[in-house]
């Protein structure tokens, strides 16, 4: 295992867990219990493992794409290298937005700001997924799986806003 493979998984996972530890650890569930929640609310104990899984799978996808870029440099496929660079750029942008989502959800000024943050992360994740698919199917499929999970978290965040405003029946 190369040092890049360890870094591509460890950096997003470490940053994400560090940034979200205060919001998602099991002892800090006070904010979660005070929220008015819809019926399909995930248990608080599932948020941290789910978040860690998403960041780990995204790191593996980034590693697969970087390996394909290294192989493409030895061939005339310059398009693959550019797709990889663009995809990794989108990947790091979405990781940057995604790691702050739990803290904004728990400690931020509003749930709407957390929703805007996770929506921007999801859009960057979609762009990264498209570029990852141009390079490697495995990396694109991992990002697709993560995209579905983040989409579900985005819908949950939106449902929290609607439940708080009383739009949806509980």
């Amino acid at each position: 295992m190369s040092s890049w493979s360890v870094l591509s998984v460890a950096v997003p996972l470490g940053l994400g867990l560090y940034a979200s530890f205060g919001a998602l650890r099991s002892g800090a569930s006070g904010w979660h219990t005070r929220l008015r929640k819809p019926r399909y609310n995930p248990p608080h104990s599932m948020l941290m493992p789910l978040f860690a899984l998403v960041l780990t799978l995204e790191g593996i996808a980034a590693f697969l794409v970087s390996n394909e870029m290294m192989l493409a440099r030895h061939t005339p496929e310059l398009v693959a290298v550019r797709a990889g660079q663009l995809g990794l750029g989108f990947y790091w942008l979405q990781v940057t937005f995604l790691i702050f989502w739990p803290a904004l959800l728990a400690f931020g000024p509003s749930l709407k700001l957390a929703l805007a943050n996770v929506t921007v992360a999801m859009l960057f994740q979609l762009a990264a997924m498209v570029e990852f698919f141009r390079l490697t199917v495995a990396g694109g499929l991992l990002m697709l799986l993560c995209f579905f999970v983040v989409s579900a978290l985005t819908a949950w965040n939106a449902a929290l806003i609607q439940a708080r405003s009383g739009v949806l029946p509980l």
Side-chain angles (χ1 to χ4, degrees):
M1 186 181 285
S2 71
S3 61
W4 170 242
S5 63
V6 172
L7 285 177
S8 63
V9 175
V11 169
L13 181 61
L15 287 174
L17 293 180
Y18 176 75
S20 64
F21 184 73
L24 298 180
R25 71 178 196 271
S26 58
S29 62
W31 67 271
H32 191 258
T33 56
R34 287 189 307 268
L35 286 174
R36 248 182 104 189
K37 297 177 275 298
R39 278 186 225 128
Y40 53 88
N41 183 57
H44 183 77
S45 60
M46 290 302 298
L47 291 177
M48 182 70 105
L50 186 63
F51 199 62
L53 177 69
V54 165
L55 290 170
T56 302
L57 291 178
E58 287 179 349
I60 293 169
F63 168 70
L64 292 172
V65 166
S66 66
N67 271 353
E68 286 296 320
M69 284 175 51
M70 292 303 197
L71 294 174
R73 286 197 179 146
H74 301 294
T75 65
E77 297 180 26
L78 188 59
V79 173
V81 173
R82 288 191 181 141
Q85 290 171 343
L86 191 59
L88 288 173
F90 286 138
Y91 162 76
W92 285 110
L93 283 170
Q94 70 90 22
V95 165
T96 302
F97 279 95
L98 194 60
I99 62 173
F100 291 112
W101 175 72
L104 285 173
L105 189 66
F107 308 118
S110 74
L111 290 172
K112 291 180 182 178
L113 181 61
L115 178 63
N117 179 61
V118 75
T119 303
V120 170
M122 194 173 71
L123 292 174
F124 282 127
Q125 189 178 43
L126 179 65
M129 180 184 63
V130 168
E131 296 301 322
F132 281 16
F133 265 121
R134 290 179 67 191
L135 238 58
T136 173
V137 174
L141 286 174
L142 286 173
M143 287 298 284
L144 180 64
L145 177 64
C146 295
F147 180 76
F148 287 141
V149 172
V150 172
S151 298
L153 290 174
T154 304
W156 174 68
N157 194 158
L160 288 175
I161 293 170
Q162 289 178 340
R164 178 176 274 184
S165 65
V167 174
L168 289 178
L170 297 176

